[in-house]
Amino acid sequence: MSEPLVLVDRRAGYRVLTLNRPERLNAFSEDMHRALATALADAEADDACRALLLTGAGRGFCAGQDLNDRLPKDGKMPILGVTLEQFYNPLVLKLRALPFPVVAAVHGVAAGAGSSLALACDIVLAARSAKFIQSFAKIGLIPDAGGTFVLPRLVGRARARGLALLAEPLLAEQAEQWGLIWKAVDDEKLMVEAEALCLRFTSAPTAGLALIKRALDAAEDNDYQAQLALEARLQREAGLTPDFAEGVRAFMEKRAPVFTGRKENS
Ligand code: T3D
């Protein structure tokens, strides 16, 4: 039997998903897209899942689209707009919309859509030796899977243009200094730190964190007034969660809160 294209490791309160095509630096085939979509849907459907760790098998995180599938067939080129709409766009939208934090642990390379994939996660940790490469320009493409949206917002116009037009590798420490990622960590500590973050999220007020994700995503499009109105709506929801009540009680009683992560009392 062939190896699964995405390995799913169920831990107490979170899951580790590992892209598993190491011989191709975990480049995306359609089957790997389908496997990842299924793994994300399963995690979302599991009430006990309160965080996700996304990583890659072997010596890299993900090299983007598998270019073997982008050779002309019967003299015709594949239509890339279709594959973006069918696979990459739903993938990054799903990662942003998941109702719990998603941590990317990046080692080796995150190239092309592999970089966009990492940047669609909520928290990106990278091994100090890892590199982010906007490889698209090297093959005549544009950054996709959200790349042109997130790059200028994360690092500003000048750096986004340099990264996208030159397609040079950006080392993890520089990526951290530029605000592209959360943190560069020593190579040998990458998984330990990523797992520790996920573990911490398993006892967090998950419903509230999901609302934070929604608010921050919306802030990328809203004007100030619309964002204030959204904050009022989402804070109303947050204020009705059992975790808010518990957080306040625990503060008054000078003890650590015990959060269920749920929206409502069950
Ligand atoms: O639907 C659509 O097509 C639109 C969406 C597009 C999204 C995209 O992601 S477009 C960009 C696609 N990705 C790339 O252009 C990156 C191509 N890869 C590289 O430039 C280099 O491999 C890396 C800089 C990422 C890493 O270099 P290095 O020297 O560490 O490794 P390597 O030797 O190049 O790669 C190792 C193996 O993985 C090698 O196979 P081999 O020779 O050992 O059999 C290589 O061919 C394979 N590999 C790496 N990236 C890809 C790949 N195979 C297929 N597709 C890849 N993207």
Side-chain angles (χ1 to χ4, degrees):
M1 221 175 71
S2 56
E3 277 270 294
L5 298 173
V6 174
L7 305 173
V8 180
D9 184 1
R10 291 173 177 76
R11 310 271 177 94
Y14 73 101
R15 292 183 183 200
V16 182
L17 305 187
T18 305
L19 306 177
N20 191 33
R21 300 184 77 218
E23 69 291 352
R24 298 262 169 96
L25 285 177
N26 304 314
F28 271 99
S29 62
E30 292 193 357
D31 283 344
M32 192 171 90
H33 267 296
R34 288 189 194 95
L36 183 54
T38 302
L40 294 176
D42 286 352
E44 188 176 12
D46 177 2
D47 281 345
C49 182
R50 293 169 74 177
L52 201 68
L53 200 173
L54 183 62
T55 190
R59 70 177 178 84
F61 177 73
C62 175
Q65 171 61 40
D66 188 327
L67 296 176
N68 292 290
D69 299 340
R70 292 296 174 263
L71 296 165
K73 276 196 195 119
D74 306 323
K76 285 194 186 143
M77 290 303 287
I79 305 299
L80 303 191
V82 173
T83 55
L84 288 176
E85 284 164 5
Q86 218 178 336
F87 294 110
Y88 288 98
N89 295 356
L91 168 59
V92 292
L93 285 169
K94 173 57 76 185
L95 285 169
R96 284 166 73 109
L98 281 173
F100 43 69
V102 182
V103 176
V106 176
H107 66 295
V109 278
S115 167
S116 304
L117 174 71
L119 300 181
C121 297
D122 298 302
I123 296 204
V124 186
L125 288 184
R128 238 171 264 291
S129 63
K131 295 171 199 161
F132 294 80
I133 315 176
Q134 304 305 315
S135 320
F136 310 91
K138 285 197 176 165
I139 52 170
L141 295 184
I142 66 163
D144 59 18
T148 59
F149 185 86
V150 297
L151 283 174
R153 283 170 171 78
L154 291 173
V155 300
R157 184 181 194 273
R159 286 168 174 163
R161 283 182 185 239
L163 290 173
L165 296 172
L166 300 172
E168 284 174 3
L170 182 72
L171 278 166
E173 280 186 29
Q174 188 84 74
E176 179 191 323
Q177 282 160 21
W178 284 8
L180 188 78
I181 64 167
W182 172 240
K183 214 172 172 191
V185 299
D186 291 341
D187 288 17
E188 65 282 6
K189 294 202 180 126
L190 176 67
M191 288 311 283
V192 177
E193 293 219 12
E195 285 164 8
L197 266 186
C198 286
L199 200 59
R200 179 170 155 184
F201 284 133
T202 63
S203 53
T206 312
L209 301 192
L211 296 174
I212 292 175
K213 286 182 61 163
R214 267 172 64 191
L216 292 178
D217 281 347
E220 287 171 356
D221 302 319
N222 276 345
D223 63 22
Y224 191 52
Q225 286 206 344
Q227 192 64 16
L228 289 177
L230 180 70
E231 283 178 4
R233 271 206 317 278
L234 297 184
Q235 200 70 301
R236 184 170 296 136
E237 265 188 63
L240 293 172
T241 59
D243 283 344
F244 172 61
E246 165 62 6
V248 174
R249 249 189 337 261
F251 176 78
M252 297 315 234
E253 293 166 9
K254 299 190 186 305
R255 62 173 173 80
V258 181
F259 292 127
T260 65
R262 297 184 188 283
K263 264 194 201 160
E264 286 151 14
N265 283 312
S266 50

